[in-house]
Amino acid sequence: MNPRTMHSIFLKKKRTMVAIAMLSVGSISAQTFSDFSYKGNDKIYTNNPLKENEFYSPILQGCYPDPSITRKGDDYYLVNSSFSMFPGVPIFTSKDLVNWKQVGHVLDRPSQLKVEKGGVSQGIYAPDIKYNKYNDTFYMITTQIAGGIGNMVVKTKDPAKGWSEVQKLNFDGIDPAIFFDDNGKAYIVHNDAPPKGTEQYNGHRVIKIWDYDLEKDQVVAGSDKIIVNGGVDLSQKPIWIEGPHIYKKAGKYFLMCAEGGTGGNHSEVIFMSDSAKGPFVPATNNPILTQRYFPKDRRDKVDWAGHADLVETPDGKYYGVFLAIRPNEKGRVNHGRETFILPVDWSGKYPVFENGLVPMKPKLKLPEGVKNKTGKDGFFPNGNFTYIDKLTDKNLDFRWIAMRGPRENFITSAKNGVKVNPMETNIKALAPVSALFHRLQHEDFETSVSLDYKPKSEKELAGITCYQSERFNYVFGITKKDKDFYIVLERTEKGESKLIASEKITLSKAIKLQVIGERDEHQFNYSLDGKNFKNLGGPVSGDILSTDVAGGFTGSLIGLYSTSSNDIKP
């Protein structure tokens, strides 16, 4: 049975289960979300309008970290880390490296993704996607920190039509990547701990390589070898050598890795060898990409650049995708680590990211003959865009995701919107929650949704959540106390919740909920007539939605949320 058929059967079963569940919960209030709107207002885009021959980088705004890229013919494919988001590993395609369409997710079935009990920053780390021309097959290899899986691989003939079941791989460590040599051999490289008793300092890691058996889809036992110890210069105590990729050019093998940790010291470094299994010698001009050397108060700041992957175009040019962040004026990282792109100059011995060693600019020149179509004809938008979704389509847009379990477990399509059927978990649970999430993609934004809902008890709540994790979030929604309806705003920090404000309201028709973010403040507003908005709780800090406060590896998410285990008391 092919993966597409398996996925179709899975969805039908899920819809049946949801329908049965809905028949048995007649005491739960019906609620419908509709007319979702999201608008970005970032000054970096208004101050840097595009000319006809330009496009913006990042190419994927918001929480799309750890990019990996490959090409088959004229088609490029790109994947990102997804942690405990479900489905996992978003996959995009492009023919020109500028205009990208999401074609789905690599891990879209519970049999592939075991993140039910994972924290928001567990799950899927650093996926690598590569096309093997010798067997016309795509491979996606990654580390799943959940469900006892560890390092794993899936594969497909067509990235848009479903992927195989998971094959567990027999090695420890993280960040595996696969390399197909031009003699048909395959290898896996990955980050690992140094041999027991040889660790010299905190953050000391090594890069290992294994032979890979393409028939068995497994590493060859005993073939492992350390090819980098510590990093470029062990005497300097480099930390977190990781995210390795091997490339071959002009008969030489090149190993590219991230070094310095995913933070202010992040960078990309390169090594060269005559053999896939080393020895690998570092370039004298390392790093080849970083933003760590520049004034903290620089304009249009991009930081934390690294964790890159290279791709060759059909005409022999090179580009590199990588993660970086754009902090707000207070240094907050609310929209997380994003996917950037730069042309790569490989005219010399080693590749170097063009303008990757100077403060990065928000705009790049379009490749020759390419038109910027982002935001049109189904291409993913960037810059300051508006995304409107009536939420009435039976198949929701791929950008709508869940946390720790399939969205089909709790949503029901309707003519007037989508029902988010409440689970007996609330937003603070280390479990699947009934919330449809959309990534925050701007520093300054405005989002709204209509909610048709009348809770029947104090245990019921529906509304919007601004979610960084189960321990750091805001909930803005409607609940009940005695015979009255209330709108509430709660802030959860380090797992401790505090009611910011509540107001008694009269519900005669759908209520409109709105969140406005500006710099480092959020305002939560509501309208009972669809026109006039009233604020609840005044401006509140967006600090808890930032990586530097909440920790972890994700960006902030905006969720359409419902629960039958509400604990917010007006």
Side-chain angles (χ1 to χ4, degrees):
M1 193 181 293
N2 67 46
R4 195 72 164 175
T5 305
M6 286 162 50
H7 186 53
S8 176
I9 291 169
F10 159 71
L11 288 181
K12 284 176 183 173
K13 283 182 178 176
K14 285 298 174 191
R15 288 188 189 115
T16 304
M17 287 165 65
V18 167
I20 292 168
M22 289 305 295
L23 289 172
S24 65
V25 292
S27 60
I28 300 286
S29 299
Q31 39 72 23
T32 305
F33 290 93
S34 61
D35 298 313
F36 176 83
S37 172
Y38 174 90
K39 181 182 180 184
N41 303 309
D42 284 357
K43 291 180 180 59
I44 192 170
Y45 297 120
T46 54
N47 294 341
N48 295 279
L50 288 177
K51 294 175 184 171
E52 197 172 316
N53 65 339
E54 295 175 329
F55 71 106
Y56 288 124
S57 183
I59 48 174
L60 300 179
Q61 294 165 220
C63 181
Y64 292 100
D66 306 329
S68 177
I69 192 168
T70 196
R71 177 176 65 85
K72 177 186 177 183
D74 294 330
D75 295 310
Y76 299 91
Y77 293 92
L78 185 153
V79 293
N80 301 98
S81 289
S82 54
F83 308 102
S84 285
M85 302 169 195
F86 202 112
V89 189
I91 181 165
F92 297 85
T93 190
S94 175
K95 288 189 178 292
D96 52 30
L97 298 168
V98 173
N99 305 296
W100 293 88
K101 284 184 180 178
Q102 187 170 0
V103 292
H105 292 81
V106 176
L107 306 177
D108 57 7
R109 305 187 295 279
S111 58
Q112 299 168 307
L113 193 54
K114 306 287 187 183
V115 290
E116 298 92 339
K117 298 176 183 177
V120 74
S121 284
Q122 292 180 298
I124 298 297
Y125 282 49
D128 169 67
I129 186 171
K130 289 295 172 282
Y131 173 66
N132 184 2
K133 64 182 180 182
Y134 294 99
N135 60 5
D136 187 30
T137 301
F138 290 85
Y139 292 73
M140 192 285 294
I141 181 170
T142 188
T143 312
Q144 184 167 169
I145 312 287
I149 292 175
N151 292 303
M152 53 160 279
V153 66
V154 292
K155 57 187 185 178
T156 186
K157 294 288 186 182
D158 185 340
K161 291 187 177 176
W163 293 69
S164 70
E165 290 301 315
V166 165
Q167 166 74 11
K168 289 176 66 171
L169 298 172
N170 298 332
F171 58 89
D172 296 326
I174 61 168
D175 291 10
I178 199 161
F179 167 66
F180 303 107
D181 207 341
D182 47 23
N183 60 5
K185 284 188 176 180
Y187 302 90
I188 283 176
V189 285
H190 66 97
N191 158 303
D192 207 348
K196 228 172 191 178
T198 67
E199 184 178 357
Q200 297 184 26
Y201 51 87
N202 186 33
H204 178 192
R205 303 290 285 180
V206 302
I207 300 298
K208 275 187 181 177
I209 190 166
W210 298 74
D211 296 337
Y212 187 73
D213 186 328
L214 286 163
E215 294 298 317
K216 296 178 181 176
D217 277 316
Q218 189 57 263
V219 291
V220 177
S223 66
D224 57 310
K225 179 184 178 185
I226 293 173
I227 52 175
V228 172
N229 183 13
V232 168
D233 183 354
L234 186 60
S235 70
Q236 298 298 308
K237 297 185 176 180
I239 60 169
W240 301 114
I241 190 80
E242 58 190 2
H245 296 282
I246 290 183
Y247 313 95
K248 192 173 187 182
K249 186 174 188 285
K252 301 287 187 180
Y253 295 84
F254 295 84
L255 172 69
M256 191 174 75
C257 305
E259 187 183 274
T262 304
N265 207 40
H266 206 199
S267 70
E268 200 70 16
V269 295
I270 192 88
F271 306 77
M272 187 175 71
S273 175
D274 292 325
S275 163
K277 300 193 86 167
F280 279 91
V281 178
T284 55
N285 62 324
N286 276 317
I288 58 172
L289 167 71
T290 192
Q291 292 290 285
R292 68 188 176 206
Y293 299 123
F294 313 120
K296 289 186 177 181
D297 59 352
R298 62 189 181 271
R299 190 181 168 199
D300 297 340
K301 183 177 180 180
V302 175
D303 212 353
W304 302 8
H307 200 110
D309 195 9
L310 304 179
V311 69
E312 184 181 7
T313 67
D315 58 358
K317 294 178 181 175
Y318 285 85
Y319 281 81
V321 291
F322 57 97
L323 73 80
I325 59 141
R326 295 176 298 156
N328 68 19
E329 62 179 19
K330 290 192 177 178
R332 307 287 189 217
V333 189
N334 290 34
H335 39 83
R337 301 174 300 156
E338 307 173 289
T339 290
F340 289 71
I341 193 167
L342 280 175
V344 171
D345 182 346
W346 207 338
S347 57
K349 185 185 287 188
Y350 297 100
V352 176
F353 286 75
E354 292 183 21
N355 296 317
L357 295 170
V358 297
M360 286 182 194
K361 301 286 192 284
K363 302 190 295 182
L364 297 173
K365 288 272 169 62
L366 286 167
E368 196 172 331
V370 174
K371 288 186 177 180
N372 190 344
K373 300 178 185 175
T374 53
K376 302 169 188 171
D377 303 326
F379 291 110
F380 218 62
N382 66 6
N384 278 338
F385 59 83
T386 298
Y387 171 60
I388 292 172
D389 192 335
K390 290 188 175 297
L391 301 172
T392 52
D393 286 352
K394 195 170 185 180
N395 297 312
L396 285 176
D397 193 282
F398 288 130
R399 72 191 77 193
W400 290 108
I401 54 169
M403 190 62 65
R404 304 184 193 90
R407 63 189 194 182
E408 290 83 11
N409 283 0
F410 61 84
I411 63 170
T412 308
S413 299
K415 287 183 180 179
N416 56 339
V418 63
K419 293 185 189 298
V420 179
N421 305 305
M423 288 184 176
E424 289 185 10
T425 52
N426 68 31
I427 207 69
K428 292 171 276 193
L430 268 176
V433 293
S434 38
L436 270 179
F437 289 106
H438 179 284
R439 289 166 173 85
L440 179 69
Q441 296 176 290
H442 295 84
E443 175 184 334
D444 295 349
F445 69 95
E446 183 178 309
T447 189
S448 64
V449 72
S450 291
L451 173 60
D452 190 358
Y453 178 60
K454 286 186 180 177
K456 292 182 178 177
S457 78
E458 63 184 18
K459 284 292 183 185
E460 296 182 21
L461 177 142
I464 290 179
T465 178
C466 290
Y467 183 89
Q468 213 285 340
S469 74
E470 58 278 354
R471 290 169 50 78
F472 292 85
N473 55 72
Y474 283 103
V475 170
F476 177 50
I478 301 164
T479 187
K480 195 174 186 183
K481 181 182 176 183
D482 300 325
K483 293 183 178 180
D484 298 312
F485 299 115
Y486 283 82
I487 188 157
V488 296
L489 176 62
E490 181 186 71
R491 172 186 168 101
T492 296
E493 181 176 3
K494 296 180 182 175
E496 297 294 320
S497 299
K498 178 185 175 184
L499 183 69
I500 301 294
S502 67
E503 278 184 17
K504 190 191 296 187
I505 56 172
T506 302
L507 286 177
S508 56
K509 56 181 181 178
I511 187 171
K512 197 153 196 171
L513 302 175
Q514 179 189 67
V515 187
I516 297 175
E518 191 170 353
R519 294 185 293 276
D520 198 45
E521 291 184 341
H522 284 49
Q523 301 220 37
F524 294 85
N525 308 316
Y526 68 96
S527 173
L528 297 173
D529 61 8
K531 298 174 186 174
N532 301 297
F533 283 89
K534 185 178 181 182
N535 177 258
L536 184 70
V540 296
S541 174
D543 57 353
I544 60 169
L545 304 176
S546 169
T547 305
D548 63 306
V549 174
F553 303 114
T554 64
S556 182
L557 306 173
I558 298 161
L560 310 182
Y561 166 54
S562 177
T563 180
S564 60
S565 290
N566 173 51
D567 58 4
I568 305 173
K569 303 203 180 303

